[in-house]
Amino acid sequence: MPLDIPAFNMAFNRAYDRLHRSGQPADVATEQEKLRALVPEDASEDDRSWTTQLIDENLPEPPPAPPERSELYQEAVRIHVAVYPPKGTTEEQIEMLADGRRRIWEIADRADEDEDWAIRAITEDLESMENFLRNPPLTDAPVPASDG
């Protein structure tokens, strides 16, 4: 019988949440045994390899703590909060977004090499919104739902 990958992934995520996010005590060994029981004896070597790694290495380890951010990063976030969502006429919104992106990139230019990319990434949604405002859809009809 082949490995039921979606079921294994769902069980792994639930076990991980119980161990690292629930705030309730949970036993790593018990969670590992439950997951091992989901891997059939005749599973492929590839399936055995990646499930074993998840069970033995990834499950017991909590995720790394989020990086501590500098004051420059915090300043960039404050600019983002001030300009998004933009207000005013379409032209005022475009100017607000462009100015916010410019100011954030100037901050990134002053940041350490290991943080400048993270500061620049803060501008991605600002640029997307600016592009949308500059090139609106060609129709007033609502966008159809993707679920079909």
Side-chain angles (χ1 to χ4, degrees), residues 38-68:
L38 296 176
V39 181
E41 291 294 322
D42 61 349
S44 71
E45 185 59 37
D46 186 50
D47 286 344
R48 286 195 164 288
S49 175
W50 70 266
T51 57
T52 298
Q53 180 179 2
L54 283 175
I55 293 167
D56 293 344
E57 297 174 24
N58 296 51
L59 185 65
E61 297 296 323
E68 289 190 30

Side-chain angles (χ1 to χ4, degrees), residues 11-27:
F12 176 85
N13 289 334
R14 280 193 239 123
Y16 193 93
D17 286 345
R18 279 190 295 275
L19 289 168
H20 302 292
R21 296 186 181 124
S22 72
Q24 302 297 318
D27 181 58

Side-chain angles (χ1 to χ4, degrees), residues 68-79 107 110-112 115 119:
E68 289 190 30
R69 298 298 187 181
S70 71
E71 180 53 37
L72 289 174
Y73 185 93
Q74 299 305 324
E75 182 181 347
V77 169
R78 287 190 292 273
I79 292 170
I107 291 170
R110 299 188 333 248
D112 289 340
E115 192 174 52
I119 293 173

Side-chain angles (χ1 to χ4, degrees), residues 134-145:
R134 289 184 190 281
N135 303 301
L138 298 176
T139 178
D140 291 334
V143 176

